[in-house]
Amino acid sequence: MKTAAIYARVSTADQVKGTSLDGQVQLCQEYAKEHGYTVIKVLQEDASGARLDRPKLGELRDMAARHEIEALIVFDPDRLSRSLAHTMLLVEEFERARAGVLFVNAPREDTPEGKMLFGMKALFAEYERTKIMERTRRGKERRAKEGKVFIAKNLPYGYTMAKGEGQLTLVESEAVWVRHMYEWLLNDYASLGEIKRRLQAAGVPTKHGAVNWSRSTIHHILSSELYTGTWHYNKSAGVLAANPRFERNRGKKSYREAKPRSEWIPVPVPAIISDNVHQAALIQLTANSENSPRNKKHDYLLTGIFFCSYCNCTMHGHFHCKGMSSVYRCRSRTRATHLPLAERCPGRSYSGANMERIVWQEVTRQFSDPALIESKLREHASQRSEDRQRDERDLASLYELELPLKRDADKLLDYLMSDLITRETYQERMEVITAKQDALSAGKAEIVRRMEASRRAQPTPQDIEALCKRVQKGLPHLEYADKRAFLKALSVRVEAIGPQIRITGRMTDALLSVSNASTDDHTPGEDGVLCPSYLDGRVEQGI
């Protein structure tokens, strides 16, 4: 008895739904019966013919190595592989294991002419694959130019695909949280970890329904140009890895390389945020990364809240070892070391210690003035009303997310009562649904608590006066970490305007002159905050 195995392959999962695989198997079985083979294994899979690491094909190679089969029957050489080199390698490997490779549609003769014809057949299969890839690429490019979006999987958070239209449509219950992420980043200077904690505390599920968010997902949302209303096709291309991390990727285009922006094809989609918000988010993400405690050696009180008025970049703290002093400089100025000084940002440098002292004294002074606080509270009354409306929308979106879970729970119960599923399956699936429901309940409770706290937060003049007295006594003696937390809680922003600075925030609004010296004079004075001239050329070198 001669034993054989049958291998059938299609390229995509959609082809499995048709008759392609069944037709291949049927013809292979007829061929085996005609030539006296007993089929002991039939393996089918949907995978690209350009790949060699296919699970089912690997199983057949192992069977041949153990001498369990005497022949492998395949309908056509292009079903075994679309690469000439791979086809020859597989045929040689099976023949070394004394298992011939038989093709129904391309019988092989063990003669020089027969080998040549088989090689030509395999070569044409590789050529056909190249043509298929080119036609697919051109078809996608044409569809993109017609304004069509095609995303095979992993739809972006906040969107869904309109069936049959090739267009993305908004999912408002998700889009509202995209806006919140940007607000937390830009208004509260929240880190990725802090945004993650807020989302999980509110019980917001991910696109796939998971409870836990990842920092990489949040970073992608905050940096993607898609949310400004443009999806791009042809942004990158697959390339061969010079030194692949895994051996299975050797010789494969397993890495992506960005293409020039001029080659991108833009496709309009519904916008969730404006382009200005997106650009500000990119700047803040860069600032968060550079100001992270793991990326700096010294503490700077105004890190992330001090900005240059000329280019809107953050003013970064630097430490000068020779003078044992700190200085704030515009990030774009310190990065553009390849340019002459005359071509860099004209923003000046500021003495770190003096600038921090001036800002802290002004914030403390304004926060200790009862009349000023009362006027600010009146200004924020309308903002509290907007916050309440936003909380109500968020609460409604959570209730909207809860409805599908209740429907799923009811369906599972119906399936259980109809004996369509076992009790164990019911319990397993209900555990997942219950976990999601608990997360949503926690989010609703947090929003309700916040709304109640906002409703009760109506301070009297006596409360304001008592608060100011405590502030006057306690703020000047806070430690660095407490000062940073206080400034972030008040959303303080400092903007350098030559010899002046503007301080804004929830309770602060001031324009101060910080030095008697002109912006062209870098001579340090006792109370001046402009950086001494001898630091200009040294800071850029990291001194």
Side-chain angles (χ1 to χ4, degrees):
M1 181 182 69
K2 297 188 294 183
T3 59
I6 291 176
Y7 178 71
R9 181 191 67 81
V10 291
S11 299
T12 64
D14 290 337
Q15 291 175 301
V16 176
K17 301 174 185 177
T19 60
S20 179
L21 280 178
D22 294 339
Q24 292 180 46
V25 172
Q26 182 179 353
L27 291 172
C28 289
Q29 287 175 335
E30 294 174 358
Y31 181 90
K33 183 177 180 181
E34 181 181 343
H35 291 80
Y37 286 98
T38 301
V39 178
I40 63 171
K41 195 80 170 181
V42 176
L43 293 178
Q44 308 174 9
E45 66 182 337
D46 58 293
S48 171
R51 293 175 49 193
L52 197 56
D53 56 337
R54 287 170 259 159
K56 302 298 184 183
L57 180 59
E59 187 177 338
L60 287 171
R61 294 168 73 180
D62 292 339
M63 290 178 65
R66 295 192 298 266
H67 305 292
E68 296 177 6
I69 57 175
E70 298 176 63
L72 172 65
I73 302 177
V74 187
F75 175 69
D76 196 84
D78 64 6
R79 298 299 90 196
L80 182 64
S81 178
R82 285 284 190 179
S83 168
L84 174 61
H86 290 172
T87 300
M88 295 306 188
L89 183 148
L90 291 170
V91 169
E92 183 180 352
E93 179 181 322
F94 276 91
E95 289 180 346
R96 278 202 311 268
R98 297 193 297 277
V101 180
L102 306 176
F103 297 103
V104 177
N105 202 34
R108 295 174 59 215
E109 297 181 7
D110 194 15
T111 62
E113 292 81 3
K115 292 180 179 179
M116 181 187 71
L117 290 174
F118 172 72
M120 292 179 63
K121 179 76 173 177
L123 185 62
F124 279 119
E126 183 171 349
Y127 168 75
E128 184 181 355
R129 172 179 173 269
T130 304
K131 293 293 291 182
I132 290 173
M133 291 176 62
E134 176 63 14
R135 286 196 297 269
T136 302
R137 185 194 66 79
R138 291 177 63 85
K140 287 183 175 181
E141 183 176 309
R142 186 189 71 254
R143 282 172 55 84
K145 290 179 178 179
E146 293 173 353
K148 303 295 184 182
V149 175
F150 37 90
I151 302 176
K153 56 182 179 179
N154 297 329
L155 286 171
Y157 188 80
Y159 295 94
T160 188
M161 184 70 75
K163 292 184 179 180
E165 298 180 10
Q167 296 291 337
L168 289 178
T169 58
L170 281 181
V171 180
E172 191 56 40
S173 59
E174 295 177 355
V176 65
W177 293 106
V178 172
R179 298 186 189 100
H180 283 331
M181 292 183 211
Y182 278 89
E183 289 172 5
W184 294 335
L185 175 70
L186 297 176
N187 297 339
D188 301 339
Y189 309 115
S191 64
L192 297 178
E194 175 62 23
I195 295 174
K196 171 185 175 180
R197 287 187 287 273
R198 294 186 183 187
L199 289 171
Q200 293 179 173
V204 182
T206 65
K207 189 69 175 178
H208 301 290
V211 178
N212 294 322
W213 286 76
S214 68
R215 288 177 173 83
S216 60
T217 300
I218 297 171
H219 184 277
H220 176 73
I221 291 174
L222 293 173
S223 59
S224 175
E225 195 175 348
L226 169 73
Y227 295 98
T228 64
T230 305
W231 176 79
H232 289 97
Y233 172 70
N234 202 37
K235 292 179 65 175
S236 61
V239 295
L240 293 173
N243 297 300
R245 185 177 179 183
F246 301 105
E247 185 62 29
R248 65 175 180 269
N249 291 335
R250 190 171 298 279
K252 294 169 56 179
K253 294 182 178 181
S254 55
Y255 289 82
R256 307 294 297 179
E257 185 177 74
K259 289 187 175 182
R261 194 175 180 90
S262 58
E263 298 182 17
W264 297 5
I265 300 176
V267 179
V269 299
I272 296 179
I273 59 167
S274 67
D275 185 63
N276 291 337
V277 170
H278 173 67
Q279 295 301 326
L282 294 179
I283 294 173
Q284 189 61 45
L285 285 173
T286 303
N288 284 358
S289 175
E290 295 175 347
N291 298 330
S292 172
R294 65 178 179 272
N295 294 331
K296 63 178 183 177
K297 297 179 180 179
H298 303 280
D299 293 328
Y300 303 96
L301 183 63
L302 306 183
T303 292
I305 64 173
F306 192 10
F307 295 85
C308 172
S309 64
Y310 292 99
C311 59
N312 202 35
C313 287
T314 53
M315 301 287 285
H316 278 206
H318 301 270
F319 194 78
H320 185 263
C321 299
K322 180 178 178 180
M324 295 302 290
S325 60
S326 61
V327 60
Y328 287 96
R329 295 204 93 192
C330 176
R331 179 172 63 89
S332 65
R333 184 180 177 89
T334 57
R335 288 292 178 84
T337 54
H338 62 288
L339 296 176
L341 280 173
E343 298 181 15
R344 303 184 203 176
C345 173
R348 310 311 298 263
S349 304
Y350 297 83
S351 168
N354 288 336
M355 180 62 71
E356 291 172 1
R357 174 178 57 82
I358 290 174
V359 171
W360 185 250
Q361 286 179 351
E362 179 61 21
V363 171
T364 303
R365 184 193 68 79
Q366 293 202 23
F367 207 76
S368 304
D369 186 345
L372 184 60
I373 290 181
E374 190 172 357
S375 66
K376 287 290 184 181
L377 289 176
R378 284 197 299 269
E379 292 177 9
H380 292 319
S382 59
Q383 180 63 42
R384 285 198 302 272
S385 176
E386 294 178 5
D387 291 342
R388 179 175 178 80
Q389 293 175 3
R390 184 182 63 181
D391 286 338
E392 290 174 350
R393 290 196 299 270
D394 294 348
L395 196 60
S397 69
L398 291 182
Y399 276 113
E400 184 179 340
L401 292 172
E402 200 174 35
L403 290 176
L405 296 178
K406 297 176 73 173
R407 287 196 295 267
D408 291 345
D410 293 339
K411 287 181 182 177
L412 282 177
L413 184 58
D414 292 340
Y415 293 159
L416 178 64
M417 299 299 292
S418 303
D419 292 330
L420 295 176
I421 59 174
T422 63
R423 181 167 294 276
E424 291 75 14
T425 302
Y426 171 78
Q427 291 175 346
E428 290 176 2
R429 295 183 181 178
M430 276 303 299
E431 287 178 1
V432 176
I433 293 176
T434 303
K436 294 179 181 179
Q437 288 176 330
D438 291 343
L440 291 176
S441 298
K444 290 189 297 183
E446 171 62 23
I447 293 175
V448 171
R449 184 202 62 76
R450 191 165 62 235
M451 293 170 68
E452 288 295 328
S454 175
R455 193 163 28 242
R456 291 194 301 267
Q458 300 293 337
T460 64
Q462 293 78 14
D463 294 333
I464 296 174
E465 186 174 356
L467 173 64
C468 292
K469 289 181 179 179
R470 289 197 298 271
V471 167
Q472 289 174 344
K473 186 180 297 184
L475 282 186
H477 308 292
L478 290 181
E479 298 296 330
Y480 167 79
D482 296 326
K483 288 183 177 181
R484 284 281 300 169
F486 186 78
L487 293 176
K488 291 184 70 174
L490 293 180
S491 299
V492 172
R493 174 188 172 96
V494 182
E495 186 176 359
I497 315 173
Q500 294 181 318
I501 59 169
R502 177 176 293 281
I503 307 174
T504 56
R506 292 178 180 173
M507 293 292 177
T508 308
D509 190 359
L511 181 64
L512 303 177
S513 177
V514 295
S515 176
N516 292 328
S518 68
T519 56
D520 296 326
D521 183 7
H522 278 213
T523 305
E526 182 178 354
D527 295 324
V529 296
L530 290 179
C531 172
S533 58
Y534 68 86
L535 293 181
D536 271 358
R538 309 289 297 261
V539 173
E540 293 150 358
Q541 303 172 14
I543 298 178

